Amino acid sequence: MVETVQSMEGLSALKASAPEQPKHVQKLDAQGRAYATGKRKNAVARVWIRPGSGKITVNTRPVEVFFARPVLRMLIQQPLVTANRNGQYDIICTVSGGGLSGQAGAVRHGISKALTYFEPDLRTPLKRGGFLTRDPRVVERKKYGKAKARRSFQFSKR
């Protein structure tokens, strides 16, 4: 039944091997593209990536037209720069909901997830950079008896 161990060598033989890390595999569709969904605040982005010249299209418009502010374009490029894949993939996005900042964050999240589906080896640097984590912060709902979510109505004694 239960074996007793007499020495340290016997103890190491009994020790269970460490559980293996899950093996991530490449997920591509029939056209050879990787697809992922990114979310941030109320924005949802559907992202397809395929090998190409580095052209990014958002809602059938170039990224320079859709995201006019340089900060938002830089935000979208972050996963590609971190993975050293800048200019190697064509990216097609459809994004809806939220404002421009939330949409840029959703596209960034979607690009990161699609990169890991296309190249599973990139998961470690992207996860270390925090690009695969969905930002859970959303706008707090308005409560009854309040002017906004937390702000009270102005108080007057007379």
Side-chain angles (χ1 to χ4, degrees):
M1 291 207 220
V2 177
E3 298 177 25
T4 56
V5 180
Q6 303 297 333
S7 66
M8 292 300 275
E9 290 81 26
L11 184 64
S12 63
L14 279 179
K15 187 172 89 172
S17 62
E20 289 188 24
Q21 294 291 327
K23 195 68 179 168
H24 297 285
V25 294
Q26 190 179 43
K27 297 178 188 172
L28 300 179
D29 63 3
Q31 286 88 21
R33 305 174 300 185
Y35 168 77
T37 305
K39 296 182 179 180
R40 173 95 209 296
K41 293 186 177 178
N42 281 335
V44 180
R46 302 184 309 157
V47 178
W48 291 268
I49 67 166
R50 65 171 180 241
S53 60
K55 190 172 73 172
I56 301 176
T57 309
V58 182
N59 289 358
T60 68
R61 293 189 292 197
V63 70
E64 294 81 18
V65 175
F66 194 85
F67 293 114
R69 288 189 297 200
V71 174
L72 299 179
R73 289 198 300 270
M74 183 262 311
L75 195 77
I76 290 170
Q77 294 286 338
Q78 280 179 335
L80 297 167
V81 171
T82 302
N84 291 326
R85 299 294 186 273
N86 213 353
Q88 295 183 17
Y89 291 107
D90 285 342
I91 300 169
I92 298 155
C93 310
T94 58
V95 65
S96 63
L100 280 179
S101 176
Q103 288 181 347
V107 169
R108 180 179 93 158
H109 186 224
I111 289 173
S112 305
K113 283 172 63 175
L115 275 173
T116 60
Y117 293 153
F118 204 91
E119 291 185 59
D121 298 337
L122 294 178
R123 184 170 172 80
T124 305
L126 290 174
K127 192 155 179 69
R128 194 172 295 128
F131 301 121
L132 296 177
T133 306
R134 193 246 193 254
D135 193 348
R137 298 175 294 171
V138 291
V139 176
E140 191 175 346
R141 78 171 191 88
K142 183 194 177 304
K143 315 313 186 291
Y144 57 87
K146 296 281 188 177
K148 292 167 64 174
R150 297 187 180 196
R151 193 203 183 294
S152 300
F153 294 112
Q154 182 171 344
F155 175 75
S156 172
K157 200 164 189 178
R158 316 177 216 287

